[in-house]
Amino acid sequence: MFTRNQNTARFFRRLTSQPVSALMIALIIIGATASGLGKLVKDTSVKAFIPLGHPSLVADDKAREIFGLTDSVAVALVTPDGQTVFEPQTLDLIATLSDQIAALPNIHSDRVASIATESSIRGEDGAVLVDSYVVPGMNRTDAADSLERWQHMPPHQGTLVSNDAKSAIIIAELVNSDTADQTYQSVLEIVNSTSPTALEFHVAGPGAVSGFLSSYIDQDARKLQPLVFVLVLGFIYFAFRKLSALPGPLFVIIGAAGGALGIMSWSGVPYYAITNALPVIVVAISVADAIHILSTYYRYQAREPSEPVREVVIASMTNMARPITLTTLTTIAGFVGIGAVSIMPPITAFAWFAALGVLLAWFFSIFALPNLLVLIKPGPSPAFTSWADNRPSGVGKFLAHIGAYSATRYKTVLSAFLALAVVVAIGAMQLRIDRSQVDNFAADEPIRVADTFINDNFAGSAFLDVLIDTG
């Protein structure tokens, strides 16, 4: 289509003959694709990164089916001033919290474990004595007796109560991990509604981390994506210094990013943690085409100010269609390569829908943007006044100086880049793989602090399940 300038010009002349109809078709396409955004479903679990059919995922599904094993939420209590948790008020609070958490609709009521739900086992005079650690109406003598019995129960040391007896934990299994975010918030409400106490609380666990990550993504998206839009539009305005330069790129951005995410939703692909970067990537790539087209438009307009707007648009598109198409194809090829090679579903989905976003950006840049320019009729840009006199701008002069320096000092430039490449290679060798979900959060985020505390003082809140099948 864009192999010869004459044919290309003829194509865009026909394309811009009915600008209103063309834009209406583009708006219908955007509406149809972006309408799927309301159906987006998040999946922030670690298991989402495991390909379907992988032995570990099959074993996990089997364990879940047979034993009902699910993710858990953990609540840790820390006593002040070196006291132990074996105080009547503290033990009573642990029992109360255990009951309240067990009563939540998404918690297995029979799978809540704490010092208040367990018992000590000991032998005495040939008999086996099983005594609960916590009973109603305990006094200090009873609490001291529970402490003594706990000290003779190694399975409950470092699991239900920390080895120094200064903190205790409540672990509750979820019924449905898909609603972990609501359950996490409910547990926080229970903890926060506790009567004023000197105790310190930490809430973590795989279910809590997965649930909070879901809301964390929402918060991040609400801040990041509008900020990207503002920065991009601000840069476009700074580059062209015309408000009339904004609608075209904005149209392309909405069509590309909204269309890619909408089609992803219509396809039933979940919104993974990594998907949060997809709109940003698509916006950054898609706006480049619009900037190239607008730059060419304003340059031609500065040179031929009396030329009709439609003719300037046709000339601009004729000049830019081929390079935009080629760069689009190479970008798509890069994402397709990632999608074809990766075995992790979130990475694969990210790559394929990023490629789709780039394709949509090309489509709206080629078919919608020229028609929008014909309707808006942007006037000359102050940033391109130098083109009217056929003289370089300040930026052009600066870049020309850099080019001249590089050409005359090519040995110095190449040596500097070689040294930089060595430094970069050394830095790349220091990269480490970190698959921990909790490390997605800021170091001072309460859930990350809680996770660190629980892992340091207890046996952790995530468990390795080994399934033994006798055949």
Side-chain angles (χ1 to χ4, degrees):
M1 187 186 334
F2 305 126
T3 53
R4 297 177 58 190
N5 283 346
Q6 262 189 343
N7 292 336
T8 305
R10 192 177 301 117
F11 168 79
F12 283 108
R13 193 171 300 280
R14 285 198 298 265
L15 179 67
T16 57
S17 62
Q18 299 290 333
V20 175
S21 299
L23 286 176
M24 288 301 297
I25 294 173
L27 286 172
I28 291 172
I29 293 173
I30 293 175
T33 55
S35 61
L37 292 173
K39 299 180 180 295
L40 276 178
V41 176
K42 293 191 294 293
D43 185 355
T44 56
S45 66
V46 174
K47 296 169 188 174
F49 285 85
I50 304 174
L52 293 175
H54 191 276
S56 63
L57 198 58
V58 173
D60 182 77
D61 290 340
K62 192 171 183 179
R64 186 187 301 268
E65 179 183 347
I66 296 174
F67 302 103
L69 300 178
T70 59
D71 290 337
S72 60
V73 174
V75 179
L77 302 84
V78 187
T79 59
D81 304 326
Q83 296 179 5
T84 74
V85 297
F86 289 94
E87 295 289 336
Q89 298 86 348
T90 304
L91 293 175
D92 182 63
L93 178 59
I94 294 173
T96 300
L97 291 175
S98 299
D99 292 339
Q100 290 177 338
I101 293 172
L104 292 175
N106 194 37
I107 295 292
H108 281 291
S109 58
D110 58 341
R111 293 187 179 178
V112 176
S114 70
I115 195 69
T117 66
E118 304 303 313
S119 303
S120 64
I121 304 175
R122 68 185 191 276
E124 187 176 299
D125 298 330
V128 176
L129 301 180
V130 179
D131 299 307
S132 298
Y133 287 113
V134 181
V135 294
M138 294 184 69
N139 54 36
R140 287 189 174 276
T141 302
D142 297 327
D145 177 65
S146 294
L147 171 60
E148 184 179 355
R149 287 186 281 116
W150 170 80
Q151 291 172 335
H152 292 86
M153 286 290 295
H156 294 163
Q157 297 171 17
T159 53
L160 302 177
V161 177
S162 60
N163 290 321
D164 60 5
K166 295 178 182 178
S167 55
I169 194 170
I170 303 169
I171 298 179
E173 286 192 30
L174 304 178
V175 175
N176 183 4
S177 298
D178 293 336
T179 57
D181 52 341
Q182 294 98 319
T183 305
Y184 170 66
Q185 294 300 326
S186 297
V187 172
L188 283 180
E189 289 174 7
I190 290 174
V191 170
N192 293 333
S193 65
T194 302
S195 299
T197 174
L199 295 174
E200 180 182 341
F201 294 92
H202 297 284
V203 182
V209 170
S210 179
F212 186 65
L213 182 59
S214 179
S215 60
Y216 204 75
I217 288 174
D218 289 341
Q219 296 172 23
D220 196 45
R222 290 192 188 100
K223 292 184 292 185
L224 178 64
Q225 292 168 16
L227 177 62
V228 170
F229 270 86
V230 170
L231 289 176
V232 167
L233 293 177
F235 175 80
I236 294 172
Y237 178 77
F238 175 77
F240 302 112
R241 289 173 242 169
K242 293 282 291 185
L243 287 175
S244 56
L246 301 182
L250 184 61
F251 193 96
V252 174
I253 288 171
I254 293 174
L261 287 174
I263 294 173
M264 184 183 78
S265 179
W266 283 119
S267 303
V269 177
Y271 192 99
Y272 302 107
I274 192 175
T275 310
N276 215 28
L278 180 59
V280 178
I281 296 294
V282 173
V283 166
I285 294 174
S286 62
V287 77
D289 293 346
I291 288 176
H292 289 311
I293 292 171
L294 284 172
S295 296
T296 307
Y297 171 84
Y298 284 121
R299 189 168 70 245
Y300 284 178
Q301 192 179 56
R303 286 179 173 175
E304 301 290 341
S306 61
E307 193 77 7
V309 168
R310 186 181 174 207
E311 294 301 321
V312 177
V313 170
I314 292 172
S316 303
M317 296 305 301
T318 301
N319 181 272
M320 295 306 302
R322 182 180 177 84
I324 284 176
T325 301
L326 292 176
T327 55
T328 295
L329 290 175
T330 55
T331 305
I332 288 175
F335 284 120
V336 168
I338 296 173
V341 172
S342 177
I343 63 171
M344 293 183 287
I347 305 297
T348 302
F350 178 88
W352 285 112
F353 286 102
L356 175 61
V358 174
L359 179 62
L360 288 172
W362 172 86
F363 174 82
F364 289 111
S365 295
I366 294 295
F367 292 92
L369 182 57
N371 286 290
L372 194 60
L373 292 175
V374 169
L375 288 177
I376 295 175
K377 295 181 172 55
S381 168
F384 287 79
T385 53
S386 61
W387 286 92
D389 304 327
N390 200 24
R391 57 183 174 82
S393 63
V395 175
K397 291 178 181 178
F398 174 72
L399 294 176
H401 284 310
I402 292 178
Y405 179 86
S406 299
T408 55
R409 304 282 196 279
Y410 65 92
K411 290 183 179 180
T412 302
V413 173
L414 290 176
S415 298
F417 271 90
L418 180 61
L420 182 62
V422 172
V423 172
V424 170
I426 294 173
M429 294 173 64
Q430 309 303 314
L431 288 175
R432 63 184 180 89
I433 297 174
D434 187 353
R435 63 177 183 82
S436 174
Q437 264 192 321
V438 77
D439 287 345
N440 286 300
F441 308 123
D444 59 348
E445 194 68 52
I447 196 168
R448 185 168 177 177
V449 174
D451 184 81
T452 301
F453 177 84
I454 290 173
N455 286 328
D456 289 344
N457 291 275
F458 299 93
S461 56
F463 306 100
L464 175 65
D465 301 320
V466 179
L467 185 64
I468 301 175
D469 191 346
T470 61

